[in-house]
Amino acid sequence: MKKAPMYTRYAREYERAIEDNIYNARFERPSLLSMLPDVAGRSVLDLGCGPGVYAEILLQRGAEVTAVDGSSEMVARVKEKFGSRIKTYIRDVSEGLPQEADFSHDLVICPLAVHYIEELTPLFQEIYRVLKHDGTFLFSTHHPMMDFQSSPSGNYFRRELVTETWDTIGNPVDVQFYRRSLTELFGSITEAGLYISNFSEGIPDKMIEEVSPADYQRLSKLPTFMFIECKKNN
C-alpha cells in the first residue's frame, strides 16, 4: 500500500489541517465516535492511526492503545506525543498484522484508511483473528456514490484505482485510492467471518453550517463517508 505524500512528506501539515477542518474534524470524527463503545480498560488496535488523533481520544477514555501506520512520519508523531503510553509501530496493514496475537483486542478501529487497500478480505481476516470473541471492528471509508463521480470507466461494479487532487493541507496534493462497490466491500466483510452490526452514513453537525453553509448542504444531501461496525461470527 503506497502512502500518499500527504501522509509522509506533508505529515505535519496534514496533522494541523485535520485538527478542526470540516470533513475530518467536524464530520467524520463525530460520526465515528458516536458509534464507539466503552473502551475503558479495553485493548484497542488503531489501524492507519495517522498523527494519533483517535489514539489520543482512546487514551483519554481509558483504553490500552496500539497504534499502527504505514507512514514512518505519522508513527514518529505518535511516539513524540505519547511516548510509552501508547504502543506504536510502522506496518503496511495490507500485508497482515503478524505482531498482534490471536484474540488480543477488544476493539479494532480503522478511520478513513481501507480505501487505500486493494484487497480487503486478507486484512479483514487478520482483524477477525486478532479480535476477541465479543470484539468489535469499527471503520469509516469513502461512500461509493461519492467515489463513482471519479470512476475512469463508468462501471460501478469494477474496482478501480482513482487519482484525485485534494487541497486538505492548503496545497494541491495527488491522492490515489480504490473505488469499489458495496457488494465487494460487504462481501469482503462476510468472507472474513464478520457481520455488520451497525451502519451509518453520518449526520453533519450543525456547527458546519456556521462555518460553511455550502459544505453543510452538500453533506446533508449527498453521501460522503460510511461508518460500519462489525462483529465476529463466532
Side-chain angles (χ1 to χ4, degrees), residues 94-120:
S94 68
E95 298 178 357
L97 301 166
Q99 296 190 46
E100 305 303 320
D102 295 355
F103 315 116
S104 55
H105 296 289
D106 298 284
L107 172 68
V108 176
I109 68 165
C110 189
L112 294 180
V114 301
H115 41 266
Y116 297 118
I117 298 172
E118 184 173 9
E119 298 288 346
L120 290 182

Side-chain angles (χ1 to χ4, degrees), residues 163-182:
T163 301
E164 290 185 346
T165 302
W166 295 355
D167 63 355
T168 305
I169 62 172
N171 292 310
V173 178
D174 285 346
V175 178
Q176 288 189 318
F177 59 88
Y178 288 94
R179 187 200 67 76
R180 71 189 87 234
S181 67
L182 285 176

